[in-house]
Amino acid sequence: MLDLEVVPERSLGNEQWEFTLGMPLAQAVAILQKHCRIIKNVQVLYSEQSPLSHDLILNLTQDGIKLLFDAFNQRLKVIEVYDLTKVKLKYCGVHFNSQAIAPTIEQIDQSFGATHPGVYNSAEQLFHLNFRGLSFSFQLDSWTEAPKYEPNFAHGLASLQIPHGATVKRMYIYSGNSLQDTKAPMMPLSCFLGNVYAESVDVLRDGTGPSGLRLRLLAAGCGPGVLADAKMRVFERAVYFGDSCQDVLSMLGSPHKVFYKSEDKMKIHSPSPHKQVPSKCNDYFFNYFTLGVDILFDANTHKVKKFVLHTNYPGHYNFNIYHRCEFKIPLAIKKENAGGQTEICTTYSKWDSIQELLGHPVEKPVVLHRSSSPNNTNPFGSTFCFGLQRMIFEVMQNNHIASVTLYGPPRPGAHLRTAELP
């Protein structure tokens, strides 16, 4: 049985690990993977058709704990303990829930002190006792007790008295004063772990199509002096097609991983694949997982030729490999009377709305089947790739965008120069 410390408005954890409000989904999953011998039977709950309409939930079924992540920013919003019989809980080092100590109203009062009167919810038949960043829900024993605690009864004073011996049914840790209005806080400095995160990524474009990326980055940097508190640093960087490998390293730092392409499965869709001379070296990607961005370099020139932006929707094959890239892409509208107008496509845009904006049918998609090996099947099904204005939009079956690949302008005589290389 887990023995965990409750910190209101902040976290639930022990000396080895801690689930902190504002923590990115990937870090919580990494904790669960690291301690998989202790924390077992974890479910991932999400809405397949409308992933933005419901929170993303990690349900620790063996321990009676749910971690609720905001559907948009994918940071931890609420920690819910829904079965207190499966876990030991303490506050300031003193247990208020264990096999020997029942979490009664008297015990909660003794451990946490005074607070505002409890609020009775007749629909749930639960009493809610609220502290800042912490709520307890008490179950009433029977329907006969319920009418006494209606807010209108005895001018509402009855709600001051929660029945003696009532035990906690659920506990919630969240940010702010209200569980209903709570939002996932900014990522705490303790969660940066030396990484750089992208607050937003703007796609820059010229007359023909995308020209590069402008990234607004977040890092935990220290102020002057050894004992100075760490502070959040916000800074902007730009990378462009044609930038060298060294340019990108100086702008974004070292990638988390370098991946060398072994083959190009999309080459068959180019105008004359048989004329392209096979390269003696492989193009390579810089994978920036916490930015949600991949950058492809040409094997011969070592210059940027492609960017890939990932949206990290649940139900996609690459889910939880990348953090969500909060991108904005200006699209040129080719409707009549548009007059060179542009519309913005974001991480949350749906493909049918983009097609509607463009005002013309897009060519038939290429169907993409992903699997780890030829014998394995992908449980999430195929995705569809649409080409548009030097970009490829990978679209999931629920109409959300899984990734966007940006291509640089074609280089004149590129094939000729490649052929002449020794």
Side-chain angles (χ1 to χ4, degrees):
M1 187 181 279
L2 295 178
D3 190 354
L4 305 176
E5 177 82 25
V6 172
V7 183
E9 209 174 13
R10 203 193 102 175
S11 65
L12 179 71
N14 57 25
E15 290 175 355
Q16 282 76 45
W17 51 264
E18 187 176 48
F19 294 122
T20 310
L21 295 176
M23 169 183 275
L25 171 72
Q27 276 186 32
V29 172
I31 289 171
L32 297 173
Q33 288 173 328
K34 187 176 180 183
H35 299 279
C36 59
R37 293 186 178 182
I38 303 161
I39 306 172
K40 299 174 184 174
N41 304 332
V42 179
Q43 298 174 335
V44 181
L45 309 175
Y46 63 93
S47 170
E48 200 168 298
Q49 286 308 310
S50 50
L52 297 174
S53 61
H54 302 280
D55 289 335
L56 180 60
I57 299 171
L58 296 180
N59 184 13
L60 286 56
T61 54
Q62 181 182 276
D63 307 296
I65 298 169
K66 277 183 188 171
L67 305 174
L68 284 72
F69 293 83
D70 185 276
F72 287 85
N73 58 43
Q74 298 187 336
R75 295 196 302 270
L76 184 54
K77 183 169 80 172
V78 177
I79 302 167
E80 176 188 346
V81 182
Y82 62 87
D83 189 345
L84 279 80
T85 62
K86 294 181 175 179
V87 66
K88 293 181 188 174
L89 298 171
K90 55 189 175 184
Y91 175 62
C92 295
V94 179
H95 283 98
F96 63 89
N97 174 61
S98 67
Q99 288 156 321
I101 303 166
T104 60
I105 179 60
E106 292 81 12
Q107 182 62 51
I108 297 302
D109 193 46
Q110 183 183 330
S111 297
F112 292 89
T115 186
H116 299 291
V119 179
Y120 178 63
N121 184 321
S122 54
E124 298 176 324
Q125 266 189 283
L126 291 174
F127 252 118
H128 299 293
L129 193 64
N130 301 317
F131 298 82
R132 182 171 176 85
L134 185 69
S135 287
F136 295 97
S137 299
F138 296 85
Q139 180 84 56
L140 288 182
D141 290 337
S142 68
W143 276 99
T144 54
E145 288 184 346
K148 290 192 292 184
Y149 303 103
E150 291 288 356
N152 299 329
F153 184 79
H155 308 291
L157 294 176
S159 65
L160 293 169
Q161 289 297 317
I162 295 177
H164 288 291
T167 57
V168 176
K169 187 177 185 196
R170 291 194 192 101
M171 181 191 78
Y172 302 90
I173 301 170
Y174 53 92
S175 177
N177 282 317
S178 166
L179 178 59
Q180 283 70 37
D181 304 329
T182 190
K183 291 182 171 61
M186 290 295 290
M187 198 192 315
L189 293 171
S190 59
C191 290
F192 276 83
L193 305 174
N195 290 307
V196 177
Y197 292 84
E199 186 178 63
S200 63
V201 175
D202 292 325
V203 174
L204 306 171
R205 66 173 295 142
D206 52 25
T208 59
S211 60
L213 303 179
R214 183 172 60 239
L215 303 99
R216 187 175 166 84
L217 303 175
L218 305 174
C222 294
V226 180
L227 299 174
D229 291 332
K231 293 176 184 171
M232 180 98 74
R233 286 178 56 223
V234 183
F235 50 99
E236 284 195 358
R237 293 285 186 268
V239 285
Y240 298 91
F241 290 112
D243 278 359
S244 69
C245 182
Q246 288 81 0
D247 291 334
V248 173
L249 284 170
S250 64
M251 285 291 170
L252 303 180
S254 298
H256 294 93
K257 192 175 175 185
V258 179
F259 175 76
Y260 288 86
K261 283 178 71 174
S262 55
E263 56 185 327
D264 187 354
K265 290 192 173 73
M266 300 299 267
K267 188 170 75 171
I268 195 169
H269 297 286
S270 60
S272 49
H274 58 283
K275 291 181 186 172
Q276 293 182 15
V277 179
S279 174
K280 293 178 182 175
C281 338
N282 294 333
D283 291 349
Y284 53 95
F285 280 103
F286 277 9
N287 304 124
Y288 290 95
F289 297 128
T290 58
L291 304 182
V293 174
D294 291 329
I295 302 176
L296 180 69
F297 292 91
D298 185 279
N300 297 305
T301 63
H302 302 285
K303 292 190 173 177
V304 175
K305 61 188 274 189
K306 191 192 291 187
F307 295 105
V308 187
L309 315 177
H310 299 271
T311 59
N312 196 42
Y313 277 108
H316 185 254
Y317 187 74
N318 286 339
F319 176 63
N320 201 50
I321 293 176
Y322 298 86
H323 288 248
R324 173 166 286 167
C325 178
E326 300 270 356
F327 59 71
K328 288 181 182 172
I329 304 173
L331 295 174
I333 304 301
K334 294 179 181 174
K335 285 184 186 176
E336 289 180 25
N337 307 323
Q341 185 185 345
T342 59
E343 290 282 349
I344 300 297
C345 162
T346 72
T347 310
Y348 310 109
S349 299
K350 286 194 162 186
W351 180 245
D352 54 4
S353 66
I354 293 170
Q355 280 188 306
E356 207 173 295
L357 282 173
L358 295 169
H360 60 88
V362 178
E363 288 180 16
K364 283 187 178 179
V366 173
V367 182
L368 182 60
H369 303 280
R370 276 198 176 92
S371 64
S372 53
S373 71
N375 299 324
N376 287 356
T377 56
N378 175 358
F380 304 116
S382 307
T383 54
F384 307 96
C385 297
F386 296 87
L388 178 72
Q389 299 176 20
R390 290 217 322 265
M391 292 176 277
I392 292 179
F393 289 80
E394 184 192 352
V395 181
M396 297 165 66
Q397 294 182 11
N398 61 12
N399 215 10
H400 281 283
I401 297 167
S403 70
V404 183
T405 304
L406 314 174
Y407 288 88
R411 290 182 294 126
H415 303 322
L416 180 67
R417 283 203 301 275
T418 306
E420 288 172 352
L421 284 171

